[in-house]
Amino acid sequence: MNIDVIRDFLSFAESLSFTRAAVDRGTTQSNLSKRLRQLELWLESDLIDRRSRPVALTQAGKDFVPVARSILVELSAFRSNHRPWHAADGAITIAMPHSATISVFPSFKHQLAKKALSASFSVRIANHDRVGSMLANSECDLALATSHPKVPQSPEFSALRSIEIAKERLVIVSSAEWDDRKPAPLHVSDRRTYIGQIWQRCRISLPSTVELEHDMAADIRNYCLSGDGRGVVPLSLVEADINSGRLRNVGSGQSLAYTFLLYCAPKASMQAKRIWSSAASIFGTT
């Protein structure tokens, strides 16, 4: 029995809809129904009452839900305890800027998991130029890099195909109590960083007493949370703060939007190349 059939069942059990479960599992309603029927045949028990309107779980189906969840938890725990954490153990090395670790990389792994593509990653944090150098010299298997039409990428990226896996944008934020009419320090990323260059090329005019540059966008967020001026940061870094009311979005614009691209090193491992090819089928190549 394929373990994905259990994930199919739990998806249906949560939505009680073949249509929604099929979309969530990335398949057709017909295929999903067939796979669930195979599970029922294997268990020798009907889990779904297909005659009721709307469709519902049978008592056996309801009883199987905690069992199915327990199976996935146990398998996940086993995999976590035995997965390779270092390249020497078989993990895929992937280089990226720190900002990509906030939401882009976790979302990328989630998309792979939805397609039943499991992989262990060893993350290397580096700035844009260093990521390009690591990629060209095959010091990593995969790499995530930012891209903006007005900011040139390092030349190492130009010879390689890429996959756009996420969209991002810079936003200007301040603490919830800040008076936006009041001149204040504006905290921005160092102009030597890629997102710092995006700001320098596409800046929005704001009243400010001084523009302060920082190496880490996380530092900018902290200054804004403490009420010490405004800051220019990736939306993914502060989205939860904005939704909770701790920070306010006081400015943005299409010119501050950029993308994250996935690259594969020339001498990447076979496993990394398979992940890259699978990602290309999910997101499409550029």
Side-chain angles (χ1 to χ4, degrees), residues 170-192:
L170 296 176
V171 293
I172 304 158
V173 296
S174 66
S175 66
E177 298 79 18
W178 187 261
D179 182 354
D180 294 328
R181 297 168 297 180
K182 180 181 176 181
L186 180 64
H187 302 276
V188 301
S189 294
D190 192 298
R191 67 189 65 211
R192 292 170 296 182

Side-chain angles (χ1 to χ4, degrees), residues 94-107:
I94 180 167
M96 67 187 74
H98 181 266
S99 60
T101 66
I102 305 300
S103 66
V104 175
F105 184 52
S107 176

Side-chain angles (χ1 to χ4, degrees), residues 131-269:
V131 168
S133 174
M134 294 174 67
L135 191 68
N137 296 322
S138 292
E139 296 175 28
C140 59
D141 294 306
L142 303 173
L144 284 173
T146 43
S147 177
H148 186 282
K150 291 188 177 181
V151 182
Q153 284 190 307
S154 299
E156 290 89 349
F157 294 106
S158 61
L160 300 171
R161 289 192 302 164
S162 62
I163 304 167
E164 181 183 310
I165 67 166
K167 296 182 184 297
E168 178 66 283
R169 62 188 172 97
L170 296 176
V171 293
I172 304 158
V173 296
S174 66
S175 66
E177 298 79 18
W178 187 261
D179 182 354
D180 294 328
R181 297 168 297 180
K182 180 181 176 181
L186 180 64
H187 302 276
V188 301
S189 294
D190 192 298
R191 67 189 65 211
R192 292 170 296 182
T193 67
Y194 196 88
I195 59 175
Q197 292 175 47
I198 293 176
W199 173 251
Q200 295 301 323
R201 295 286 184 94
C202 309
R203 62 173 55 250
I204 297 172
S205 179
L206 292 169
S208 62
T209 55
V210 63
E211 193 166 288
L212 303 175
E213 297 186 5
H214 302 272
D215 294 333
M216 300 286 290
D219 293 335
I220 300 174
R221 170 182 174 268
N222 289 334
Y223 276 106
C224 294
L225 286 171
S226 66
D228 187 11
R230 305 180 187 88
V232 182
V233 289
L235 175 60
S236 61
L237 179 63
V238 293
E239 194 162 20
D241 297 312
I242 294 172
N243 292 337
S244 68
R246 299 178 70 197
L247 292 176
R248 289 188 300 130
N249 183 349
V250 298
S252 185
Q254 186 58 38
S255 64
L256 296 177
Y258 57 99
T259 59
F260 274 96
L261 304 178
L262 178 71
Y263 292 89
C264 187
K267 297 180 181 179
S269 67

Side-chain angles (χ1 to χ4, degrees), residues 6 9-10 13 57-74:
I6 294 181
F9 170 74
L10 288 176
L57 295 178
T58 63
Q59 186 58 50
K62 295 176 182 178
D63 292 342
F64 186 62
V65 168
V67 175
R69 287 174 177 160
S70 177
I71 290 172
L72 293 184
V73 168
E74 292 294 331

